[in-house]
């Protein structure tokens, strides 16, 4: 099941598809609905993740970037959709992004409890 949500990420407005971790025929869990709602209400956490994402990019591909400071993150990372994990113990949401230096795997920015939890390849989520 999918829907769309308007969200501001790192100073730019997006309308992103929301995808839920559900098999065909499964219901969206109440914990998934709450996780999405909490994420959409945590604009500060999303804004705060910018520095972590820049750090990740520089650690992974600093030589390719060729600078020690990233002025425009959108040259390298572009949010594509929101993925709501199916986890009742630790409700989590990931912003799935295209990543210039790894177009096959992209990156996932995972948020738990209203703050950034982890950044890595999308494979860690999917």
């Amino acid at each position: 099941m999918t829907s769309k949500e308007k969200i501001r990420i790192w100073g730019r407005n997006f309308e992103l598809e929301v995808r839920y971790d559900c098999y065909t025929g499964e219901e969206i869990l109440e914990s998934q609905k709450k996780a999405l709602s909490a994420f959409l209400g945590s604009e500060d956490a999303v804004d705060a993740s910018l520095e972590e994402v820049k750090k990740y990019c520089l650690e992974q591909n600093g030589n390719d970037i060729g600078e020690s400071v990233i002025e425009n993150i959108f040259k390298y990372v572009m949010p594509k959709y929101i993925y709501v994990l199916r986890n009742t113990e630790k409700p989590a949401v990931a912003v799935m992004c295209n990543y210039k230096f790894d177009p096959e795997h992209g990156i996932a920015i995972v948020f738990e409890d209203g703050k950034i939890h982890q950044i890595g390849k999308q494979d860690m989520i999917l």
Side-chain angles (χ1 to χ4, degrees), residues 12-123:
R12 187 180 284 184
N13 293 321
F14 290 90
E15 186 172 351
L16 298 178
E17 181 181 343
V18 177
R19 299 179 189 173
Y20 292 90
D21 182 6
C22 289
Y23 291 110
T24 304
E26 280 186 325
E27 294 287 320
I28 295 170
L29 300 175
E30 195 60 37
S31 62
Q32 288 177 296
K33 293 176 187 174
K34 287 180 181 174
L36 178 63
S37 179
F39 170 73
L40 293 173
S42 62
E43 193 172 313
D44 289 346
V46 175
D47 286 344
S49 72
L50 176 59
E51 290 308 313
E52 291 295 318
V53 173
K54 287 179 178 181
K55 182 177 160 189
Y56 175 88
C57 293
L58 289 169
E59 286 173 359
Q60 299 297 313
N61 299 96
N63 290 341
D64 298 316
I65 293 169
E67 299 174 322
S68 60
V69 177
I70 295 175
E71 296 295 330
N72 180 3
I73 193 64
F74 298 112
K75 286 171 61 175
Y76 311 109
V77 179
M78 186 58 66
K80 295 317 277 181
Y81 64 95
I82 299 167
Y83 189 73
V84 184
L85 286 82
R86 191 173 188 86
N87 185 339
T88 55
E89 291 175 25
K90 286 267 187 190
V93 172
V95 178
M96 307 300 257
C97 303
N98 287 347
Y99 184 45
K100 179 178 181 176
F101 302 108
D102 191 353
E104 185 178 336
H105 299 106
I107 63 171
I109 305 158
V110 183
F111 294 86
E112 279 183 5
D113 299 325
K115 50 188 177 261
I116 189 164
H117 172 70
Q118 186 177 14
I119 301 171
K121 293 182 181 191
Q122 292 179 4
D123 295 0

